[in-house]
Amino acid sequence: MKSSRILWLTLAAAALTGCTPVQNVATLNFRADAAGGEIDAATLLPAQLVPADRLLSVTEAVERAPDGSVIVACQAGPRGVLSWGLCSHVTRKLSAGFLTESPNLFAGGVQTVPTSTLYRRTVVIVLDAGVKPEMLPALRAEAMRLNHAPYGIGGLGPDYDCSTYQNALQHAVGLPDVVPRNAWGIYLPQDAVAGGRVLWVGVQKVEGGS
């Protein structure tokens, strides 16, 4: 009973800064590497090296993100303030100028927001989630159906945090989870990166990039 109570309190606290806790991204220092290669998704977060032609400004990366793609958002800050990690949110490009997401406990449930809500993020990572153009009508229909669905902490209930909502959209178009469940049974936004195909990385200040 006590351990269950502690888990729920921990996950509730996570909602203050993101949808679920992220444990091992403590700094954001993405740097340009040699141009012309693919982004190594498995080592992107630990190494933070990006081919120069794939390292963009945050705004440009969000604008280039294809409709249906998933975007992991990271925010720099004191470790004590962002105690749940720096890459703690995941959203999706729904159409030009719009995202669909479940932001956090205090922002309400599932909603459509302008892409400009990402422009102040320190880093955004654009992922190909496998959504083909012909899947977009079904994806958008499911986003409309789930609009205003309540926020649920850590994927432990029937409602949606940012990760479980994106997984629900994947299922609606016959695709597997974009955010895997970790060994603790929690869906961490950053875990979408290592298993995905990274299209672009956007940072606030591009040094030596395109």
Side-chain angles (χ1 to χ4, degrees):
M1 291 290 290
K2 182 178 288 186
S3 61
S4 177
R5 176 184 169 87
I6 290 171
L7 176 61
W8 275 102
L9 289 173
T10 299
L11 292 172
L16 289 168
T17 55
C19 61
T20 46
V22 179
Q23 299 295 328
N24 60 354
V25 180
T27 60
L28 298 174
N29 185 29
F30 287 83
R31 307 171 308 283
D33 200 0
E38 291 292 321
I39 297 174
D40 186 346
T43 64
L44 178 62
L45 290 179
Q48 299 189 19
L49 287 174
V50 184
D53 52 336
R54 303 269 186 147
L55 187 65
L56 310 173
S57 70
V58 168
T59 302
E60 188 175 7
V62 173
E63 289 177 351
R64 288 196 191 187
D67 292 355
S69 62
V70 161
I71 302 174
V72 174
C74 311
Q75 188 65 45
R79 189 64 175 169
V81 175
L82 296 178
S83 57
W84 300 110
L86 304 180
C87 296
S88 58
H89 186 55
V90 60
T91 183
R92 188 184 298 260
K93 185 80 166 284
L94 187 63
S95 59
F98 293 99
L99 307 168
T100 183
E101 59 181 45
S102 185
N104 59 53
L105 184 62
F106 303 107
V110 172
Q111 57 195 265
T112 300
V113 300
T115 52
S116 59
T117 60
L118 289 177
Y119 291 172
R120 292 187 179 181
R121 291 283 186 165
T122 305
V123 175
V124 296
I125 301 168
V126 180
L127 304 173
D128 180 352
V131 177
K132 307 298 183 186
E134 59 271 20
M135 298 175 178
L136 287 172
L139 182 85
R140 290 168 179 152
E142 183 69 354
M144 182 177 295
R145 187 182 74 84
L146 293 177
N147 197 36
H148 303 306
Y151 184 88
I153 298 172
L156 296 181
D159 304 322
Y160 301 99
D161 70 0
C162 62
S163 296
T164 57
Y165 172 57
Q166 297 307 335
N167 286 345
L169 292 182
Q170 293 286 105
H171 302 164
V173 294
L175 294 172
D177 288 352
V178 68
V179 183
R181 188 191 293 267
N182 74 0
W184 290 1
I186 298 172
Y187 296 94
L188 302 180
Q190 75 158 29
D191 289 346
V193 176
R197 176 172 172 253
V198 182
L199 301 177
W200 315 102
V201 175
V203 297
Q204 284 297 333
K205 183 179 180 182
V206 179
E207 297 181 1
S210 59

